[in-house]
Amino acid sequence: MTTGTRLAQRSLERVVETFAEGKPYDLFFLSVRGARLVGRKTEAAYPGPDRADRPAERLKCGLVEAHMLLGVAEREQVAEDHVAVFYRPLAEAEKAALFAEAAADPLTDLYHPYAQLGDRIREAAEAEVGGWEVTEERVRELDHAEAVLRDYVPERLAWLGFDGGLAYDAACSTGAFLAAVGHRFPAARTVGQDLSAEMVAYARPRLDEAHCADSIRPAIPEGGADLVICRHLNAFVVGTRQAHELFAAAASRCRPGGYLVLLGHTPILISSQWCEMSGLRMVQRSAATPSGHALFQCYILRG
Amino acid sequence: MTTGTRLAQRSLERVVETFAEGKPYDLFFLSVRGARLVGRKTEAAYPGPDRADRPAERLKCGLVEAHMLLGVAEREQVAEDHVAVFYRPLAEAEKAALFAEAAADPLTDLYHPYAQLGDRIREAAEAEVGGWEVTEERVRELDHAEAVLRDYVPERLAWLGFDGGLAYDAACSTGAFLAAVGHRFPAARTVGQDLSAEMVAYARPRLDEAHCADSIRPAIPEGGADLVICRHLNAFVVGTRQAHELFAAAASRCRPGGYLVLLGHTPILISSQWCEMSGLRMVQRSAATPSGHALFQCYILRG
């Protein structure tokens, strides 16, 4: 910490999110140089300065920016109805420097330690899954929120040495993400699966195969994939327990030495530590946009 | 960390406590040499090797021992129904060395970040407060669980320079704790207050004054105390929100330069960071038993 000794002398501040009104899941931590930085996610420039051809927009998504950092976390208290994190505040220039350092290291752990807590049970979200109406507007919205991820992942996989084979998306949704992988790797065979028949019908023309089934029962055999994509182990999609069951199902499909990618535009509910405990090798935990204006969670693992 | 580089190579482990069955509030953290050690509280030797005259006993109380440490915390995840903490395990000798280091520094932060979570609403506990039946057995039990704290605090206060004046216990219970302070400082005037009329009747003969009232309305004037004792801002006694309200009420009674002591045999719900943000000076956060076999939370603040 460049700010070392001076930090302890700064007045403490705290950020509080109640379960009822607030959003504990918007609190994020970033491990940089042994310190735990705490921040709160708000709307980010999207897709950001790298895509000048696109209209400027601010979007609450997977992106976190330097100004969202609050300070160096000193203590958290999870009370009966709220989360409080105490921190020593950082100046804007310090945030920028630490953020740049975090962006330079793909193993930087960027994480959201708090799920949807309290009465905000996610039954509603689960019930919704089977019955999404696939409208052009909804497709545009879903695909738009993942544009930054779609821009990033195929190139990154190429850089890491992936060069085709069977690419399996356990919850392919509109198919746009997997299609982007297929576009970058013409030799890959793209196999999508989704719980929604409407989504599968929409995705089918974009993929080599599309299956309608719950991803707890993967459509491909064990160890059958060179690349497994998980865009569904995230807050607002599933709960933490279900995410871990689905993760095990998906991971079982990755061949030894294959790639497993976890990402999404809401917080990943699986920790990189859990991935490591599952016997996978963590190649990457986070990624930066090309300009470095934002970071996002992007787990890349090897089977 | 003596274990430095080797630590990262150790296999991760995790400790999980569900809201329904488990006890997230038993998880504790200990900040030593910039690392966050995580542990789980179980029964401790009580009162421990320092009091050979007392029968050997193991008690779930405020004491934590070296063997309860699990490892160096790397990440925590608070899910909808459980808390998981991932850590790199420590060997018994490492635990002992780090524990001894923690015990040597009274500013060591020993804390329990998780309150009673989930459906375990504490209404029942609150309802109980007014109507405790004061039996000899109950008195012995209450007094016994605080024996280590009673042995420690008066001597420690003397060492810190306290030498009498008005000593106020905001929730005096049996009066034993405040009476021990009065015994050590004959010049002190002991003023107790409790919500329970039965407790007040029991405590009265042991104290200079005893008032029956909710401690949100302290029986002494603002800034009137040289020493304020808070043994009621703890789990199983009040909730986190109420603890903060009662803390403000109690702290308002401490004169500038006076002492404020927070402790108890269940986790303190107020963080030392909150005390600091309230404008108080943290003199001490934890204490060790004379033999060093155990640590316990013991906040000593100056007004």
Side-chain angles (χ1 to χ4, degrees), chain A residues 61-300:
Chain A
C61 57
L63 302 190
V64 302
E65 297 178 331
H67 66 88
M68 298 179 197
L69 289 172
L70 296 167
V72 178
E74 191 162 305
R75 159 86 189 263
E76 50 267 38
Q77 189 70 30
V78 181
E80 301 82 351
D81 60 356
H82 69 274
V83 173
V85 182
F86 295 87
Y87 61 90
R88 305 278 171 187
L90 292 168
E92 294 307 315
E94 293 169 326
K95 292 179 189 178
L98 288 164
F99 196 81
E101 198 163 327
D105 180 3
L107 281 170
T108 293
D109 206 359
L110 164 64
Y111 61 94
H112 297 259
Y114 311 114
Q116 290 173 274
L117 297 170
D119 298 331
R120 311 182 141 235
I121 308 296
R122 330 158 10 274
E123 250 66 294
E126 273 175 54
E128 208 186 332
V129 168
W132 272 353
E133 205 189 336
V134 180
T135 62
E136 277 303 320
E137 191 189 338
R138 177 130 191 93
V139 165
R140 261 199 310 276
E141 195 185 300
L142 285 169
D143 288 351
H144 178 57
E146 282 199 336
V148 166
L149 310 179
R150 267 198 319 276
D151 284 357
Y152 178 82
V153 171
E155 284 309 321
R156 185 66 181 172
L157 284 171
W159 187 87
L160 288 168
F162 176 74
D163 62 356
L166 196 148
Y168 167 68
D169 188 333
C172 68
S173 181
T174 68
F177 194 93
L178 188 52
V181 171
H183 184 75
R184 178 65 183 75
F185 303 100
R189 175 161 185 82
T190 54
V191 180
Q193 171 168 350
D194 205 277
L195 190 57
S196 156
E198 285 197 72
M199 279 298 182
V200 171
Y202 189 91
R204 185 160 285 134
R206 307 165 114 175
L207 307 176
D208 293 318
E209 277 179 44
H211 302 265
C212 182
D214 190 322
S215 70
I216 197 71
R217 290 179 296 278
I220 61 164
E222 223 173 292
D226 297 276
L227 170 63
V228 174
I229 298 161
C230 293
R231 296 154 49 250
H232 61 317
L233 309 180
N234 302 59
F236 298 100
V237 182
V238 293
T240 303
R241 206 166 283 271
Q242 196 187 358
H244 283 75
E245 290 163 2
L246 295 174
F247 174 68
S252 73
R253 268 47 198 173
C254 185
R255 72 160 173 81
Y259 293 82
L260 196 76
V261 177
L262 273 68
L263 74 182
H265 57 95
T266 58
I268 301 175
L269 296 172
I270 309 281
S271 64
S272 83
Q273 287 75 12
W274 180 250
C275 297
E276 189 181 324
M277 284 180 73
S278 303
L280 297 156
R281 188 163 64 82
M282 211 77 210
V283 173
Q284 176 162 344
R285 294 190 182 98
S286 57
T289 55
S291 67
H293 92 288
L295 282 172
F296 52 97
Q297 292 186 295
C298 180
Y299 292 179
I300 304 183

